């Protein structure tokens, strides 16, 4: 497309040259119809109009260029900011299963040691998540917020305020200001 | 910066207007020094030069714009392609520890069940890595390649070819065409 535009520009340059030739013709034969100063003035006016047009064209492309730069910078920033979203979304089910497996009560020394090792791994994973800007969404005890929480059950419990979250069924996560997965919760009526 | 340029352009536009005024002056008083046609021709020549200059300026900014678009596209593609690199680099030590913990020999039913569950989690994590373009670097039996492998020990083993990898001490990973971490290996002399 750039080439196309350039060709168009070159045509316009040629246009200018033709005008110069025309001028010569006018000087040679055109005097029967118009006086030379009138022809000169016409030509000057035409050139001035063209110049102004060309200057406006230049200003427009400059403005487009600046807009494009701004947009490209924003696109790149957004791509950077949420770069880990897909990876994290894919890892969350693995993390859920991992944490569920860690909930067992060890009945022997080997299991106990294995669970301790795995707990360390869990903390390492959560640390890596945190460094990328991932946070767990607070739920139990908080007021229900449809932007952060997904209500899957309702209960009546006088120990909690109305609309408070009573239990978390699945953890929710945010990546910076974006909710990747709302927490699944039980809400008080 | 865009504003600065625009102001400059407007000055040039004003420049044109001044020339028009000058033309009027020339028409009124300048005839003592130069004949009117000569003045007109001078003015036409000057306008033509300016027009050509402005057209060239336009072509240059157009070309800059096209280059910028191309570069911005490449930047965005690279940001997309390697977007998960930092996240993965941070998760690799957790994965190493996780896999090391899974190497134990279960001596009871509970540990055996826990290991089975964790093996599923490991496969889920590797699947998520694979979907993001992460691959394990092949090592044992391969020829040593300094771009992929880091030799930490040398051995003499007639069962292997010269320069072949005999043992892997830590797994290496690639993200698409980029090595995130070379594998640490033992190499045959």
């Amino acid at each position: 497309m750039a080439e196309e535009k350039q060709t168009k520009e070159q045509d316009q340059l040629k246009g200018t040259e033709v005008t110069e030739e025309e001028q010569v013709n006018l000087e040679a034969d055109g005097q029967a119809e118009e006086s030379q100063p009138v022809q000169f003035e016409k030509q000057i006016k035409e050139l001035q109009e063209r110049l102004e047009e060309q200057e406006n064209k230049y200003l427009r492309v400059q403005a487009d260029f600046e807009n494009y730069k701004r947009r490209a910078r924003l696109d790149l920033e957004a791509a950077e900011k949420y770069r880990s979203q897909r990876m994290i979304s894919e890892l969350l089910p693995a993390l859920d299963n991992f944490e569920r497996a860690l909930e067992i009560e060890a009945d022997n020394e080997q299991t106990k040691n294995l669970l301790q090792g795995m707990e360390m791994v869990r903390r390492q994973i959560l640390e890596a998540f945190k460094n990328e800007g991932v946070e767990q969404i607070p739920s139990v005890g908080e007021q229900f917020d449809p932007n952060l929480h997904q209500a899957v059950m309702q209960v009546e419990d006088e120990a909690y305020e109305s609309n408070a979250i009573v239990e978390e069924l699945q953890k929710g996560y945010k990546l910076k200001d974006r909710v990747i997965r709302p927490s699944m919760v039980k809400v008080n009526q």
Side-chain angles (χ1 to χ4, degrees), chain A:
Chain A
M1 213 168 101
E3 274 174 40
E4 231 173 75
K5 273 184 189 159
Q6 292 221 346
T7 310
K8 214 170 134 198
E9 292 314 309
Q10 276 156 7
D11 286 351
Q12 291 188 352
L13 276 172
K14 269 183 216 147
T16 321
E17 285 159 29
V18 171
T19 306
E20 286 175 67
E21 283 165 33
E22 282 169 355
Q23 181 198 342
V24 174
N25 292 341
L26 283 168
E27 281 173 333
D29 350 292
Q31 301 199 352
E33 288 159 33
E34 283 181 340
S35 69
Q36 211 187 32
V38 171
Q39 291 157 23
F40 275 137
E41 277 164 17
K42 266 179 73 177
Q43 202 187 346
I44 285 167
K45 193 159 172 283
E46 194 203 309
L47 279 168
Q48 282 168 338
E49 280 167 6
R50 268 209 211 182
L51 183 57
E52 196 175 333
E53 196 183 299
Q54 193 64 35
E55 281 163 339
N56 286 333
K57 244 173 98 178
Y58 174 80
L59 289 180
R60 276 197 302 275
V61 75
Q62 268 284 1
D64 285 351
F65 194 0
E66 294 301 325
N67 276 335
Y68 188 92
K69 277 186 192 167
R70 194 176 43 77
R71 271 203 323 271
R73 201 172 51 239
L74 292 176
D75 285 353
L76 201 59
E77 276 169 16
E80 271 299 299
K81 188 172 178 185
Y82 304 115
R83 63 184 173 188
S84 304
Q85 180 167 3
R86 222 193 105 194
M87 175 99 234
I88 287 160
S89 302
E90 286 206 60
L91 286 171
L92 288 183
L95 186 61
D96 293 337
N97 289 336
F98 189 46
E99 292 187 325
R100 217 168 286 134
L102 291 181
E103 280 167 15
I104 59 161
E105 201 66 55
D107 63 16
N108 66 83
E109 199 62 20
Q110 196 187 32
T111 304
K112 204 180 141 197
N113 290 336
L114 181 55
L115 285 176
Q116 270 175 2
M118 288 303 180
E119 180 53 36
M120 261 184 49
V121 171
R122 191 181 81 95
R123 258 181 274 138
Q124 265 187 305
I125 293 172
L126 291 181
E127 189 64 26
F129 273 36
K130 196 179 144 198
N131 290 342
E132 275 295 294
V134 179
E135 271 175 79
Q136 212 182 297
I137 295 170
S139 60
V140 177
E142 303 284 315
Q143 278 295 103
F144 175 75
D145 178 348
N147 299 311
L148 302 172
H149 310 117
Q150 188 188 343
V152 289
M153 282 175 87
Q154 278 215 327
V155 289
E156 272 195 73
D157 189 335
E158 288 184 6
Y160 287 87
E161 280 180 54
S162 170
N163 225 27
I165 293 167
V166 172
E167 197 184 325
E168 183 184 69
L169 303 168
Q170 189 184 54
K171 285 179 182 170
Y173 293 92
K174 270 170 78 174
L175 172 60
K176 287 151 190 173
D177 52 2
R178 191 181 276 180
V179 173
I180 306 188
R181 193 176 78 180
S183 26
M184 274 164 56
V185 296
K186 222 183 255 185
V187 184
N188 202 24
Q189 280 191 317

